[in-house]
Amino acid sequence: MSTVPTAFGDAAIMLRRNFKHTARNPVTVFQAVLFPIVMMLMFVYVFGGAFKVEGKYVDYAVPGLIVMAITYGLGPTAAAVNGDMTKGIINRFKAMDVSHGAVLAGHVVSTTVRSLIADAAIIGVGFAMGFRPHASFLQWLAAIGIMVLLAFATSWLTVAMGLGAKTAESAGLATVPLIMLPFLSSAFVPADTMGTGVRQFAEYQPFTPIIETLRGLLTGNPSSGDAFAALAWCVGLGLLGYVWAVSAFRKRA
């Protein structure tokens, strides 16, 4: 059997293994899928009336919550990757002649799929709460492409964090900056309403152009400047995560 089909077969086995672990862990499901919905209900129904935005607040908030749903599901992945490394699971796979790349690919793909399920839940609940996007079919496709790219990039970065951490607890904590960044962006209020220092941070951090790109696409008014910046950040984060993850895996496995 050639190497490529074997690697894909191993990756499929790793993917199925990670899905089973997720399905058997209610904490992971809550953190990745249900908690973003709880945050959405809180921001729209509790805080939404206090924020001054153009149009309905739910229309403004959904793009930010889409990004937040992706980042909230990263902690369990970092802990799981670190657990595989520190508990000897990787060594068992090596003894079974499982492709090294399949172990990482299984975590990346399962995390990406889980993030997209969380995004679908956010959009579905958003519709139930009055979210009414004006995107064309092509703009919806572009928005989905941004979601996939961001989920894929942050998944590689999270796998790298899990491999680089010494314990599962520290691996989970390493993803906290990714979870907090949407709160310091234009996700919930316009950046120009923030104080000077915070506003500058919000304007130049990675998630703001990504959120603004999604917001522009879903409202039917995309900005090419934000789109180029969003693509650049997604590709940059993905490459950083991939190189870091492969390097860490070669050193420790």
Side-chain angles (χ1 to χ4, degrees), residues 41-221:
L41 295 171
M42 187 174 68
F43 267 97
V44 173
Y45 287 137
V46 179
F47 302 131
F51 299 143
K52 293 182 180 178
V53 299
E54 187 175 342
K56 294 189 299 180
Y57 186 71
V58 66
D59 290 341
Y60 182 89
V62 164
L65 287 156
I66 287 172
V67 171
M68 197 188 75
I70 291 174
T71 62
Y72 256 90
L74 300 177
T77 295
V81 171
N82 186 270
D84 283 351
M85 184 62 67
T86 57
K87 294 177 182 177
I89 303 297
I90 298 296
N91 290 332
R92 293 186 195 175
F93 290 151
K94 289 173 66 177
M96 297 165 62
D97 197 26
V98 173
S99 169
H100 294 180
V103 178
L104 302 184
H107 281 294
V108 169
V109 175
S110 63
T111 304
T112 300
V113 172
R114 192 174 64 212
S115 296
L116 295 177
I117 291 172
D119 277 351
I122 284 290
I123 293 171
V125 174
F127 272 113
M129 296 170 65
F131 174 54
R132 296 294 180 266
H134 301 286
S136 65
F137 177 72
L138 290 179
Q139 287 167 340
W140 266 110
L141 286 182
I144 292 171
I146 291 291
M147 294 178 213
V148 172
L149 195 56
L150 177 62
F152 188 70
T154 53
S155 295
W156 270 114
L157 196 57
T158 303
V159 167
M161 290 176 177
L163 291 169
K166 293 183 178 179
T167 65
E169 290 77 13
S170 61
L173 287 175
T175 62
V176 169
L178 291 175
I179 295 171
M180 294 304 298
L181 277 178
F183 290 99
L184 299 173
S185 71
S186 63
F188 303 111
V189 294
D192 57 14
T193 64
M194 302 174 184
T196 303
V198 179
R199 185 184 72 239
Q200 291 172 335
F201 180 82
E203 288 175 344
Y204 293 105
Q205 63 124 311
F207 289 153
T208 293
I210 295 171
I211 291 168
E212 290 302 324
T213 299
L214 287 172
R215 185 171 287 137
L217 288 168
L218 295 178
T219 57
N221 297 297

